[in-house]
mmCIF file of all heavy atoms in Angstrom:
data_model
loop_
_atom_site.group_PDB
_atom_site.id
_atom_site.type_symbol
_atom_site.label_atom_id
_atom_site.label_comp_id
_atom_site.label_asym_id
_atom_site.label_seq_id
_atom_site.Cartn_x
_atom_site.Cartn_y
_atom_site.Cartn_z
ATOM 1 N N ILE Y 51 2.330 4.892 -25.192
ATOM 2 C CA ILE Y 51 3.702 4.821 -25.696
ATOM 3 C C ILE Y 51 3.692 4.391 -27.158
ATOM 4 O O ILE Y 51 4.514 4.821 -27.945
ATOM 5 C CB ILE Y 51 4.545 3.833 -24.849
ATOM 6 C CG1 ILE Y 51 4.483 4.205 -23.360
ATOM 7 C CG2 ILE Y 51 5.962 3.750 -25.350
ATOM 8 C CD1 ILE Y 51 5.054 5.544 -23.007
ATOM 9 N N ILE Y 52 2.738 3.557 -27.501
ATOM 10 C CA ILE Y 52 2.596 3.083 -28.882
ATOM 11 C C ILE Y 52 1.365 3.754 -29.478
ATOM 12 O O ILE Y 52 0.254 3.588 -28.985
ATOM 13 C CB ILE Y 52 2.452 1.549 -28.932
ATOM 14 C CG1 ILE Y 52 3.690 0.902 -28.326
ATOM 15 C CG2 ILE Y 52 2.224 1.068 -30.357
ATOM 16 C CD1 ILE Y 52 3.574 -0.579 -28.120
ATOM 17 N N PHE Y 53 1.590 4.564 -30.513
ATOM 18 C CA PHE Y 53 0.497 5.282 -31.159
ATOM 19 C C PHE Y 53 0.926 5.697 -32.557
ATOM 20 O O PHE Y 53 2.112 5.714 -32.870
ATOM 21 C CB PHE Y 53 0.074 6.518 -30.348
ATOM 22 C CG PHE Y 53 1.189 7.515 -30.158
ATOM 23 C CD1 PHE Y 53 1.380 8.551 -31.062
ATOM 24 C CD2 PHE Y 53 2.049 7.410 -29.074
ATOM 25 C CE1 PHE Y 53 2.404 9.463 -30.895
ATOM 26 C CE2 PHE Y 53 3.078 8.317 -28.897
ATOM 27 C CZ PHE Y 53 3.259 9.352 -29.809
ATOM 28 N N GLU Y 54 -0.059 6.033 -33.378
ATOM 29 C CA GLU Y 54 0.240 6.496 -34.728
ATOM 30 C C GLU Y 54 0.575 7.987 -34.669
ATOM 31 O O GLU Y 54 -0.223 8.803 -34.217
ATOM 32 C CB GLU Y 54 -0.952 6.272 -35.653
ATOM 33 C CG GLU Y 54 -0.618 6.564 -37.087
ATOM 34 C CD GLU Y 54 -1.712 6.134 -38.050
ATOM 35 O OE1 GLU Y 54 -2.638 5.415 -37.629
ATOM 36 O OE2 GLU Y 54 -1.623 6.531 -39.215
ATOM 37 N N ARG Y 55 1.785 8.321 -35.086
ATOM 38 C CA ARG Y 55 2.230 9.717 -35.082
ATOM 39 C C ARG Y 55 1.677 10.433 -36.314
ATOM 40 O O ARG Y 55 1.313 9.795 -37.300
ATOM 41 C CB ARG Y 55 3.757 9.791 -35.066
ATOM 42 C CG ARG Y 55 4.329 9.103 -33.831
ATOM 43 C CD ARG Y 55 5.793 9.270 -33.677
ATOM 44 N NE ARG Y 55 6.543 8.655 -34.757
ATOM 45 C CZ ARG Y 55 7.861 8.764 -34.879
ATOM 46 N NH1 ARG Y 55 8.550 9.470 -34.027
ATOM 47 N NH2 ARG Y 55 8.479 8.170 -35.869
ATOM 48 N N SER Y 56 1.609 11.748 -36.249
ATOM 49 C CA SER Y 56 1.071 12.516 -37.372
ATOM 50 C C SER Y 56 1.968 12.425 -38.600
ATOM 51 O O SER Y 56 1.528 12.651 -39.709
ATOM 52 C CB SER Y 56 0.856 13.977 -36.976
ATOM 53 O OG SER Y 56 2.050 14.532 -36.496
ATOM 54 N N SER Y 57 3.225 12.089 -38.395
ATOM 55 C CA SER Y 57 4.140 11.819 -39.509
ATOM 56 C C SER Y 57 5.164 10.799 -39.020
ATOM 57 O O SER Y 57 5.316 10.567 -37.837
ATOM 58 C CB SER Y 57 4.837 13.102 -39.972
ATOM 59 O OG SER Y 57 5.656 13.609 -38.945
ATOM 60 N N ARG Y 58 5.817 10.147 -39.898
ATOM 61 C CA ARG Y 58 6.877 9.176 -39.579
ATOM 62 C C ARG Y 58 6.363 7.895 -38.930
ATOM 63 O O ARG Y 58 7.065 7.264 -38.158
ATOM 64 C CB ARG Y 58 7.966 9.807 -38.724
ATOM 65 C CG ARG Y 58 8.683 10.937 -39.436
ATOM 66 C CD ARG Y 58 9.657 11.585 -38.557
ATOM 67 N NE ARG Y 58 8.906 12.222 -37.473
ATOM 68 C CZ ARG Y 58 9.422 12.981 -36.544
ATOM 69 N NH1 ARG Y 58 10.687 13.207 -36.531
ATOM 70 N NH2 ARG Y 58 8.682 13.518 -35.610
ATOM 71 N N GLY Y 59 5.146 7.488 -39.206
ATOM 72 C CA GLY Y 59 4.678 6.166 -38.792
ATOM 73 C C GLY Y 59 4.334 6.021 -37.325
ATOM 74 O O GLY Y 59 3.972 6.964 -36.659
ATOM 75 N N MET Y 60 4.464 4.793 -36.851
ATOM 76 C CA MET Y 60 4.077 4.444 -35.486
ATOM 77 C C MET Y 60 5.168 4.786 -34.477
ATOM 78 O O MET Y 60 6.348 4.643 -34.753
ATOM 79 C CB MET Y 60 3.780 2.947 -35.381
ATOM 80 C CG MET Y 60 2.572 2.483 -36.166
ATOM 81 S SD MET Y 60 1.016 3.174 -35.554
ATOM 82 C CE MET Y 60 0.856 2.335 -34.003
ATOM 83 N N SER Y 61 4.731 5.204 -33.300
ATOM 84 C CA SER Y 61 5.649 5.360 -32.184
ATOM 85 C C SER Y 61 5.760 4.006 -31.493
ATOM 86 O O SER Y 61 4.914 3.140 -31.665
ATOM 87 C CB SER Y 61 5.137 6.407 -31.207
ATOM 88 O OG SER Y 61 6.079 6.608 -30.181
ATOM 89 N N SER Y 62 6.803 3.835 -30.705
ATOM 90 C CA SER Y 62 7.007 2.570 -29.995
ATOM 91 C C SER Y 62 7.764 2.836 -28.702
ATOM 92 O O SER Y 62 8.227 3.956 -28.460
ATOM 93 C CB SER Y 62 7.818 1.612 -30.867
ATOM 94 O OG SER Y 62 9.140 2.113 -31.029
ATOM 95 N N ILE Y 65 11.215 4.102 -29.552
ATOM 96 C CA ILE Y 65 11.220 5.512 -29.952
ATOM 97 C C ILE Y 65 11.013 6.398 -28.728
ATOM 98 O O ILE Y 65 11.689 7.410 -28.553
ATOM 99 C CB ILE Y 65 10.142 5.778 -31.024
ATOM 100 C CG1 ILE Y 65 10.539 5.099 -32.336
ATOM 101 C CG2 ILE Y 65 9.930 7.276 -31.234
ATOM 102 C CD1 ILE Y 65 9.456 5.100 -33.388
ATOM 103 N N ARG Y 69 13.707 9.175 -27.548
ATOM 104 C CA ARG Y 69 13.321 10.592 -27.427
ATOM 105 C C ARG Y 69 13.416 11.079 -25.984
ATOM 106 O O ARG Y 69 13.802 12.220 -25.732
ATOM 107 C CB ARG Y 69 11.903 10.805 -27.954
ATOM 108 C CG ARG Y 69 11.672 10.359 -29.383
ATOM 109 C CD ARG Y 69 12.131 11.307 -30.413
ATOM 110 N NE ARG Y 69 11.403 12.563 -30.335
ATOM 111 C CZ ARG Y 69 11.724 13.629 -31.041
ATOM 112 N NH1 ARG Y 69 12.717 13.577 -31.878
ATOM 113 N NH2 ARG Y 69 11.058 14.741 -30.916
ATOM 114 N N ARG Y 93 2.516 23.876 -30.171
ATOM 115 C CA ARG Y 93 3.858 23.274 -30.145
ATOM 116 C C ARG Y 93 4.928 24.218 -29.647
ATOM 117 O O ARG Y 93 5.915 23.800 -29.058
ATOM 118 C CB ARG Y 93 4.243 22.797 -31.539
ATOM 119 C CG ARG Y 93 3.754 21.445 -31.881
ATOM 120 C CD ARG Y 93 4.361 21.031 -33.201
ATOM 121 N NE ARG Y 93 5.669 20.473 -32.997
ATOM 122 C CZ ARG Y 93 5.962 19.207 -33.157
ATOM 123 N NH1 ARG Y 93 5.048 18.367 -33.528
ATOM 124 N NH2 ARG Y 93 7.173 18.782 -32.957
ATOM 125 N N ARG Y 109 14.712 21.274 -31.659
ATOM 126 C CA ARG Y 109 13.800 20.263 -32.192
ATOM 127 C C ARG Y 109 13.273 19.314 -31.125
ATOM 128 O O ARG Y 109 12.317 18.588 -31.360
ATOM 129 C CB ARG Y 109 14.454 19.483 -33.327
ATOM 130 C CG ARG Y 109 15.558 18.571 -32.918
ATOM 131 C CD ARG Y 109 16.127 17.809 -34.125
ATOM 132 N NE ARG Y 109 16.931 16.703 -33.697
ATOM 133 C CZ ARG Y 109 16.469 15.486 -33.429
ATOM 134 N NH1 ARG Y 109 15.196 15.218 -33.556
ATOM 135 N NH2 ARG Y 109 17.280 14.540 -33.029
#
Side-chain angles (χ1 to χ4, degrees):
I51 305 297
I52 300 171
F53 60 91
E54 188 171 349
R55 300 186 296 175
S56 56
S57 64
R58 297 176 295 185
M60 294 295 290
S61 184
S62 67
I65 291 170
R69 304 280 297 172
R93 275 188 84 110
R109 70 179 195 87

